[in-house]
């Protein structure tokens, strides 16, 4: 396995020179599976499956390009509004990914985490997610946060409720404290958020954490967002001048 990674790296290094300043934490809104399916005469489910295949490729590229943390928007709190058949398909994909990919992810040093609420998921899926989190908790090559039944507003409400339940006095409430009550408590804020399929909106993804994230939006549908375009997104990021509201003289 190590040999395989090494072989790949040496081949790919030639095509993709190391980035000077890769983002540590990348968030991805994997949009456009449905439109990709329509364009290719396939069902929406097949579109989501193609999106899952692309995720597998993106994980490999993330390790190669020096990204240490990836947060993917797999199912939002608003996605419950979709037809039951499509919701079932997305749940099935999550279950299948754990069943079929966990060993490989674990071997490749990926630490799986979840952000959002697991409570609404079927116990069998919830337990599989918890098992995967526990099994990979010591891995440190790439941290993969799966946002599933996640919404930024829901996260903020959830955090505020916990602050109140902990009897935190108003004077002690700071942005830093609130950050520690978010689902992403021990994650640095995302540096770069990629959104595929050309929509210019946050769709409730990491709205607290992305205050100073750089955005990269491409018209490419998620299943077609390949390694070359991922590299381009990271390269674009590494040339941006991040000022965080201050000035870089
Ligand atoms: C948005 O495309 C995509 C989603 C709502 C689901 C994303 C899920 C995957 C890529 C599968 C990976 C999942 C897991 C659990 C690892 P859309 O359906 O809104 O596309 P459209 O806007 O073109 O209709």
């Amino acid at each position: 396995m190590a040999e395989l990674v090494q072989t790949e790296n040496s081949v790919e290094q030639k095509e993709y020179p190391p980035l000077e300043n890769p983002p540590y934490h990348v968030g991805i809104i994997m949009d456009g599976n449905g439109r990709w399916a329509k364009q290719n005469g396939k069902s929406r489910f097949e579109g989501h499956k193609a999106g899952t295949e692309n995720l597998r490729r993106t994980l490999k590229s993330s390790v190669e390009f020096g990204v240490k943390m990836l947060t993917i928007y797999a199912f939002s709190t608003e996605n419950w509004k979709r037809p039951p058949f499509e919701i079932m398909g997305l749940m099935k994909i999550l279950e299948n990914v754990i069943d079929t990919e966990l060993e490989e992810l674990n071997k490749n040093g990926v630490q799986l985490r979840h952000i959002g609420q697991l409570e609404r998921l079927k116990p069998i899926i919830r337990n599989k997610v918890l098992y995967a989190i526990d099994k990979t908790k010591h891995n440190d090559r790439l941290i993969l946060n799966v946002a599933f039944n996640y919404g930024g507003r829901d996260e903020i409400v959830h955090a505020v409720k916990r602050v109140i339940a902990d009897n935190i006095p108003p004077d002690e409430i700071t942005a830093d404290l609130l950050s520690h009550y978010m689902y992403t408590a021990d994650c640095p804020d995302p540096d770069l958020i990629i959104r595929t399929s050309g929509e210019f909106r946050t769709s409730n993804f990491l709205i607290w954490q992305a205050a100073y994230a750089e955005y990269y939006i491409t018209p490419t549908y998620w299943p077609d967002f390949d390694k070359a375009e991922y590299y381009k997104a990271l390269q674009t990021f590494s040339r941006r001048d991040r000022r965080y509201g201050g000035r870089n003289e």
Side-chain angles (χ1 to χ4, degrees), residues 45 75 83-95 122 125:
F45 182 66
F75 191 91
F85 183 70
E86 184 170 355
I87 296 174
M88 261 171 50
L90 287 165
M91 297 290 161
K92 197 74 210 152
I93 286 177
L94 175 63
E95 198 178 345
K122 278 192 189 156
I125 301 184

Side-chain angles (χ1 to χ4, degrees), residues 30-35 44 48 51-52 55 74 79 82 94 148:
M30 309 179 290
D31 197 9
N33 294 345
R35 278 163 286 170
R44 290 186 65 83
H48 292 312
T52 309
L55 178 58
N79 285 154
R82 293 193 177 202
L94 175 63
F148 202 96

Side-chain angles (χ1 to χ4, degrees), residues 159-160 162-164 166-182 185 208:
V160 169
R162 286 177 53 223
V163 168
I164 293 169
D166 283 353
N167 289 316
I168 310 279
D171 286 356
E172 287 179 24
I173 298 177
T174 60
D176 200 38
L177 179 126
L178 282 177
S179 291
H180 285 94
Y181 276 87
M182 300 293 159
W208 172 269

Side-chain angles (χ1 to χ4, degrees), residues 42 46 53 69 109 128 153 158 168 185 229 237 248:
K42 294 179 190 281
E46 286 173 302
E53 278 304 309
M69 183 176 279
K128 284 184 182 183
R153 287 186 170 180
H158 183 254
I168 310 279
E229 190 156 5
F237 167 86
N248 288 347

Side-chain angles (χ1 to χ4, degrees), residues 49-63:
K49 277 199 345 205
T52 309
E53 278 304 309
N54 195 39
L55 178 58
R56 186 210 295 258
R57 294 189 286 269
T58 306
L59 290 180
K60 276 189 168 182
S61 304
S62 297
V63 172

